[in-house]
Amino acid sequence: ERCATFGFVSETKSSAEIARAVEPHKVAIANGNFYANRLVEALGVKNIDDGVVRCSMAHYNTEGEVDKLIEALDQVL
């Protein structure tokens, strides 16, 4: 089976800031270009090294864990 992975950027915070701020919530999240420099660049991300925030649903097994991710992002963003 496949699991969703999604990436995003914020207009107000760097991807690294978001990843650091979510870390205390014990949520698996990372930032960077993930060896996809050309894709990140093509998407218009200005700082390729900062890249995007990436979340993978592979790390979450329950609806409650997904809710925890959403709550952490709501607080940080």
Side-chain angles (χ1 to χ4, degrees):
E1 294 185 42
R2 298 179 67 139
C3 293
T5 299
F6 63 93
F8 65 91
V9 295
S10 168
E11 292 181 2
T12 59
K13 295 185 180 184
S14 73
S15 296
E17 285 178 291
I18 294 168
R20 278 193 308 272
V22 170
E23 189 175 323
H25 297 272
K26 304 293 185 210
V27 174
I29 197 168
N31 79 288
N33 57 45
F34 305 100
Y35 303 103
N37 293 2
R38 292 189 307 186
L39 172 61
V40 172
E41 188 176 68
L43 291 171
V45 175
K46 293 178 180 128
N47 184 339
I48 294 173
D49 292 330
D50 186 52
V52 300
V53 179
R54 181 181 73 175
C55 303
S56 172
M57 293 295 99
H59 302 290
Y60 306 100
N61 300 310
T62 68
E63 190 173 327
E65 290 172 330
V66 174
D67 289 341
K68 185 177 177 180
L69 169 66
I70 293 167
E71 288 172 18
L73 290 173
D74 280 344
Q75 289 178 22
V76 170
L77 299 173

